[in-house]
Amino acid sequence: MTRDLDEEAPMRKGSLAWVTISALSLAACSGGASGSDAEEASDGGAAAADPTGGIVFMDSAPNPDLDPAGTLSDSSFSQAVLYALYDRILTFDGAGEIQEGLATEWSFVDDELRTFEFTLREGVTFHDGEALTAEVVKANFERTQELGDAAGATVRAAAGNIDSIEAADELTVRVHLQEPDGGFPFALATQFGMMLSPNSLDGSTGVDLEAVGTGPYELVSFTPNNTTTMERFEEFWGGTEGRPATFEVQYVTDDQTRLNALRSGQANVVLLTPRQVSEAEGTGLEVKVNETSSMWVMYENTSEALDDVRVRQALMHAIDRESISSALQFDTGQPSVQLAPPGHPAFLEDADDLYPYDPDKARDLLAEAGHPDGLDLEYVLLNTPEYVQITEVLQQQFAEVGITVDIVTLDISQAGQFMSGETGDLMLARWGGRADLLKTFEVVVGPEGTYAPGGVATPQLEEAIVEARGYAADDPERVNALQAVNRETVESAANIPVVTRSNIYAYNEGCFSGLDPYLASGSNDWRDVTIAPDC
């Protein structure tokens, strides 16, 4: 949709498109879901909903704390709890399109994309009874600004670009930006848009451990990296019909322990790894495979040997993505050489043609780069079972073209050693994606990117990122700009994607509805998930 941006532009109610996905492709994304489950999900599962029941979900990714603006909540894999406790100014639907949240109307009110205005929903209260007002939103934004480098990367960029904030009236907020940012609405639909109660902001409650938001669930208890227990918020502005009475998330790192807990009744829904799908289905459990924007990637430090594009391209050609997808992801993910997920308008249909699996080409490129006898690289391994499995395969594939990777094993909490440039040429990780693809490029390969310790790979990539910032989220030309960023990222091998990664859930047949693909994030939004009786 195209519209003029000027001082008289009407406030907008509706969605800003991230990606349009047909009903057919969404159905395909649901993987192992049965036909009956898909039908229930489409109408919210209201017929089967048990409002007295409770969800007990065992996840592999923990929540160290509950501050949405903090660095420990930056990963999308720990956001299921945050989505339940906190509302956002704007939200996403399952296909990643921006929708109403705490705001019902929103718009840029100038044609320079520097002034963004939104109107809050009337009558919203926090879990402690405090009212949501424009002044509260202003205080939340200012608090994130004051955090500075202590804020998570997801919120830091948005907060850092704000020049000033106005509470124009009780429910109207006007944000003035330092630099044009057509993607600012996307930030409001992520952690930056999660609002804390005024009592949290003034220190009356501890933000890290005592979450007080406006979400559909309120906090009962929280043990960091162990368990979060929540109960339905009866005053939730969106109503309570069909929503389970309780929602508990337990963090269990061992894959088999989670599956065994489901079988024994300790949990009623668990996260699976790809290799567990056949086992779960073989015992009569229902399996749901949800596509997300998440994928397995290797981040690069381009300040040393990887400064040469030919070395980076050699790494791209050395990877047999099809075999990794089949043998390790059990075809629950797709081979990929680009950061744009399949179905996104900026997805490049011809990208795979640039980097077929070709060991001979990889060797030739290394020789051209001055490494005819091979090359040694330092590889950071984050010590979890899935990371180890993929690393073992990659290590073997690299060795076949003469690249020796010296493994440096770190706990996942020590990943900052790579991001600071202190350790490693390469680091494999699960990229959780960003709702706005431009933010993915900025964080992963941008000139100040968290995961690009060696800086931007090429001047052309930096120029393309800067240009893309000048388009509004609903401007059709923004797609072309994102494609240009994507193409330069791929051609310069500024990052090394491997395969996409889905979220895979198991539960007893017919027990859950509404647990649908959530393509805007690497996590799922559980706020509208319902549970059937006797589950």
Side-chain angles (χ1 to χ4, degrees):
M1 177 183 296
T2 304
R3 61 191 177 89
D4 293 329
L5 298 172
D6 55 47
E7 291 295 335
E8 301 300 320
M11 294 291 284
R12 179 155 183 238
K13 181 175 181 179
S15 64
L16 297 171
W18 176 80
V19 56
T20 300
I21 297 181
S22 67
L24 178 62
S25 61
L26 275 176
C29 284
S30 27
S34 68
S36 61
D37 184 63
E39 291 169 4
E40 289 176 0
S42 68
D43 65 8
D50 178 10
T52 67
I55 299 172
V56 180
F57 170 48
M58 283 193 176
D59 197 0
S60 63
N63 277 83
D65 70 29
L66 297 175
D67 182 356
T71 57
L72 297 179
S73 295
D74 205 42
S75 171
S76 62
F77 300 109
S78 63
Q79 287 168 17
V81 164
L82 301 182
Y83 291 146
L85 292 168
Y86 298 106
D87 275 323
R88 293 155 283 166
I89 299 299
L90 299 173
T91 60
F92 297 106
D93 64 13
E97 294 186 4
I98 292 183
Q99 304 289 331
E100 294 182 4
L102 292 173
T104 56
E105 298 177 330
W106 60 93
S107 176
F108 278 103
V109 294
D110 68 331
D111 58 6
E112 295 181 351
L113 305 181
R114 289 175 183 265
T115 303
F116 189 81
E117 185 173 292
F118 56 89
T119 302
L120 296 171
R121 187 180 299 277
E122 293 186 21
V124 176
T125 60
F126 288 90
H127 300 152
D128 58 4
E130 294 287 335
L132 176 71
T133 66
E135 287 290 350
V136 172
V137 172
K138 181 175 183 289
N140 268 269
F141 289 170
E142 289 173 342
R143 180 228 176 206
T144 303
Q145 286 183 296
E146 290 167 2
L147 286 174
D149 291 342
T154 303
V155 303
R156 193 184 311 140
N161 191 32
I162 292 177
D163 182 60
S164 64
I165 309 145
E166 294 180 62
D169 58 38
E170 186 177 4
L171 296 177
T172 303
V173 179
R174 189 174 297 126
V175 181
H176 301 279
L177 305 177
Q178 298 177 29
E179 300 293 336
D181 182 7
F184 186 70
F186 289 103
L188 297 178
T190 58
Q191 294 101 300
F192 183 66
M194 293 181 179
M195 296 293 101
L196 302 169
S197 164
N199 289 324
S200 297
L201 297 173
D202 69 11
S204 301
T205 63
V207 174
D208 291 353
L209 303 179
E210 298 182 28
V212 183
T214 64
Y217 291 94
E218 57 183 314
L219 188 66
V220 175
S221 64
F222 173 62
T223 304
N225 298 323
N226 187 297
T227 305
T228 304
T229 303
M230 297 163 281
E231 64 184 11
R232 183 175 58 223
F233 178 40
E234 300 299 337
E235 304 303 318
F236 178 54
W237 62 263
T240 60
E241 184 177 356
R243 189 167 290 112
T246 60
F247 181 22
E248 180 171 294
V249 181
Q250 300 178 14
Y251 312 108
V252 179
T253 57
D254 185 76
D255 304 330
Q256 195 61 43
T257 299
R258 294 195 303 274
L259 184 54
N260 290 342
L262 176 60
R263 291 169 174 159
S264 67
Q266 294 173 277
N268 49 28
V269 56
V270 301
L271 189 74
L272 297 183
T273 63
R275 65 175 59 249
Q276 292 178 299
V277 169
S278 295
E279 180 184 355
E281 290 180 332
T283 58
L285 295 171
E286 193 161 335
V287 173
K288 192 81 183 295
V289 181
N290 283 354
E291 290 264 359
T292 72
S293 57
S294 174
M295 62 181 67
W296 288 101
V297 302
M298 279 189 290
Y299 305 119
E300 301 172 297
N301 184 341
T302 57
S303 62
E304 299 294 340
L306 298 181
D307 179 55
D308 193 315
V309 65
R310 293 167 296 187
V311 175
R312 302 194 300 268
Q313 291 172 337
L315 289 166
M316 293 287 279
H317 282 293
I319 301 173
D320 184 354
R321 292 171 175 81
E322 292 285 351
S323 68
I324 292 175
S325 176
S326 177
L328 297 182
Q329 295 296 293
F330 294 83
D331 297 320
T332 60
Q334 303 179 45
S336 182
V337 300
Q338 59 185 304
L339 288 167
H344 193 286
F347 182 82
L348 301 175
E349 297 291 345
D350 63 341
D352 288 341
D353 298 336
L354 297 175
Y355 295 109
Y357 173 53
D358 190 341
D360 289 335
K361 178 67 172 177
R363 295 185 194 97
D364 290 344
L365 285 165
L366 287 174
E368 290 175 19
H371 307 287
D373 299 321
L375 175 67
D376 287 357
L377 296 174
E378 191 173 65
Y379 178 110
V380 173
L381 169 62
L382 303 179
N383 194 20
T384 67
E386 276 192 287
Y387 284 61
V388 171
Q389 292 164 6
I390 294 183
T391 292
E392 289 173 347
V393 175
L394 289 170
Q395 187 176 27
Q396 180 180 350
Q397 292 179 358
F398 289 154
E400 291 174 1
V401 303
I403 298 173
T404 300
V405 290
D406 301 318
I407 303 293
V408 177
T409 303
L410 299 176
D411 183 78
I412 198 165
S413 64
Q414 299 174 300
Q417 292 186 28
F418 174 83
M419 292 179 275
S420 67
E422 180 182 341
T423 302
D425 297 300
L426 295 166
M427 183 176 76
L428 177 78
R430 296 180 301 179
W431 170 245
R434 291 289 187 271
D436 180 5
L437 183 61
L438 181 58
K439 299 306 178 188
T440 288
F441 290 123
E442 288 177 340
V443 172
V444 176
V445 297
E448 298 176 359
T450 306
Y451 296 97
V456 67
T458 67
Q460 293 84 354
L461 180 54
E462 181 172 1
E463 292 168 5
I465 289 173
V466 170
E467 181 176 348
R469 289 174 182 155
Y471 294 96
D474 57 350
D475 187 335
E477 289 301 315
R478 191 173 196 262
V479 172
N480 296 331
L482 288 175
Q483 286 180 336
V485 177
N486 192 18
R487 186 165 296 281
E488 181 61 27
T489 300
V490 174
E491 291 181 353
S492 67
N495 178 264
I496 304 177
V498 182
V499 293
T500 64
R501 182 184 182 277
S502 301
N503 287 338
I504 310 171
Y505 303 96
Y507 46 84
N508 288 316
E509 187 174 359
C511 275
F512 285 92
S513 296
L515 184 53
D516 299 323
Y518 193 62
L519 298 179
S521 171
S523 184
N524 265 79
D525 190 343
W526 291 72
R527 62 177 51 212
D528 293 321
V529 174
T530 61
I531 185 170
D534 303 320
C535 286

